Amino acid sequence: MNQMKTNRQRGGAAHLLGPYGLVVILVVLFAVFALILPQTFLSGRNFNAILSNQAIPALLALGAMIPIATGKFDLSIGYGLGLSHVIVLKLIVDGNMPWGIAALVAIGVMALVGVINGLLVEFGQIDSFVATLGTGTVLYAITGAITNGARVVPGDAGLPAAFKDLYDSKIAGVPIVAVYLLVVAVILWILFERLPLGRYFYVLGSNPRAAALIGIPTKRYSIYAFAFSAVVTGVAGVLLASQQQIGNPSVGMDYLLPAFVGALLGATAIKPGRANVIGTLVAVITLAIGLAGISQLGAQFWVTPLFNGVTLLIAVGLAGYSARRKLRAGAVAAPPPAVSTGGDAGPSSPSGPSTTAGPATSPGPAAPAGMPGAPAVTAR
């Protein structure tokens, strides 16, 4: 009896540690650095710096998360970040365009890029990894052509004050970019957790064939995912332009690895094996606290890319392990298939064929949890 109770307790602890293991790591990291560096790490200046510096990487991680939920990858987001922030500054500095219109143009261009990525993947039948790497390279070439390989530097008049305040201002002492991040995160959380669109994304990512069989237009929703990802990337590019105030055509690549680290590591938290908004935010905060702590301890410049690279490998490994464990749990929980005995013919013999009253039929894949009533599919 005591052994069974102990096993149940261990199973409950493992069940909680799976979804909330990353949260535990976050708390432990925070406590360690707070004890080691109480005067600097626990200061309001440090918290504001973390919120301000990590808002753009967090936005990009949320953008990368959307195609991952559908089983795809968008490697063009780093190049898209560089293109969108250069477009904004180029239109403001050389085109004398109001910054609001310039921002909308940049976001619109990125939305078009996302649609192109989706078309290449779904109708061109190109693997998403290869397709988005190719479009990203094209975006980098376009960025270089726009800037002629040089930086976009404002003239003596500088940039509009309202545009600079887009990143620099604060609300109740909190950097306004953190508010932007919160708004985008809430919108995506509603999309993924409360709307059918998000459930369709998850079904598409877990079993595209089943999604098609229950009537989901898989190609359309895959294009939606790439487009939404690109729009979030465009928003991040506008904020990056407001932060740096100088157009750097190669800046986007510095954000690509942290974005995928956050998105993949987030798939191991809250809802293991599934890309999700809250898990992504927890992952980004965990990475931010870790980087802030080691930088305050005087780490060398190469520690940051080492930290990101190792964390990415751990994130991919944990994401794969969580997905496999989820599949094993589903296989164990699935009931054995029913054997038709053809009325009163009696139980079928293990060595002989079973007798059925009519043509054999098998139901199609069951509708995933949370999906609206899905029609049954009958094999013919």
Side-chain angles (χ1 to χ4, degrees), residues 52-319:
S52 180
N53 294 335
Q54 297 301 318
I56 293 176
L59 279 173
L60 211 60
L62 290 174
M65 178 209 72
I66 302 174
I68 289 176
T70 67
K72 308 291 194 307
F73 287 93
D74 187 353
L75 295 183
S76 68
I77 57 175
Y79 302 98
L81 182 73
L83 175 62
S84 58
H85 103 284
V86 161
I87 288 177
V88 173
L89 290 172
K90 193 72 174 178
L91 292 177
I92 295 174
V93 173
D94 296 339
N96 296 320
M97 184 179 290
W99 70 267
I101 299 177
L104 291 177
V105 170
I107 295 173
V109 169
M110 287 309 303
L112 178 61
V113 169
V115 172
I116 293 174
N117 281 334
L119 292 174
L120 288 174
V121 171
E122 293 302 327
F123 291 95
Q125 294 297 301
I126 305 175
D127 182 79
S128 63
F129 193 96
V130 177
T132 56
L133 182 61
T135 56
T137 306
V138 172
L139 295 181
Y140 184 68
I142 294 174
T143 305
I146 292 175
T147 61
N148 199 23
R151 296 188 174 187
V152 180
V153 181
D156 296 334
L159 296 171
F163 180 69
K164 292 187 289 186
D165 289 342
L166 195 64
Y167 184 90
D168 292 334
S169 59
K170 295 182 178 180
I171 297 179
V174 177
I176 194 170
V177 286
V179 178
Y180 301 149
L181 172 63
L182 180 61
V183 171
V184 173
V186 169
I187 292 173
L188 290 178
W189 182 85
I190 293 174
L191 186 149
F192 275 93
E193 305 297 335
R194 291 294 181 266
L195 297 179
L197 180 61
R199 295 195 292 269
Y200 294 160
F201 284 166
Y202 282 138
V203 177
L204 180 59
S206 62
N207 194 331
R209 185 172 179 273
L213 288 174
I214 63 177
I216 297 176
T218 56
K219 296 183 185 299
R220 183 196 308 171
Y221 283 102
S222 179
I223 294 173
Y224 287 166
F226 281 107
F228 292 162
S229 172
V231 167
V232 175
T233 301
V235 173
V238 172
L239 294 176
L240 182 65
S242 176
Q243 176 198 33
Q244 297 199 347
Q245 301 176 20
I246 292 177
N248 183 354
S250 61
V251 71
M253 293 309 300
D254 296 334
Y255 291 85
L256 179 61
L257 183 59
F260 274 95
V261 170
L264 292 172
L265 189 59
T268 68
I270 310 301
K271 294 184 176 181
R274 172 183 291 185
N276 63 92
V277 174
I278 299 178
T280 301
L281 291 180
V282 170
V284 171
I285 295 172
T286 303
L287 295 172
I289 289 177
L291 289 173
I294 62 178
S295 65
Q296 290 180 27
L297 288 174
Q300 297 292 325
F301 69 94
W302 48 265
V303 174
T304 296
L306 175 65
F307 182 83
N308 287 330
V310 172
T311 308
L312 177 62
L313 295 176
I314 295 173
V316 173
L318 289 176

Side-chain angles (χ1 to χ4, degrees), residues 324-336:
R324 291 191 298 271
R325 188 176 65 175
K326 191 173 181 181
L327 288 174
R328 287 196 299 267
V332 171

Side-chain angles (χ1 to χ4, degrees), residues 13-36:
H15 179 73
L16 290 176
L17 189 60
Y20 302 107
L22 190 61
V23 179
V24 173
I25 295 175
L26 168 61
V27 174
V28 170
L29 281 176
F30 183 88
V32 168
F33 289 126
L35 291 173
I36 297 176

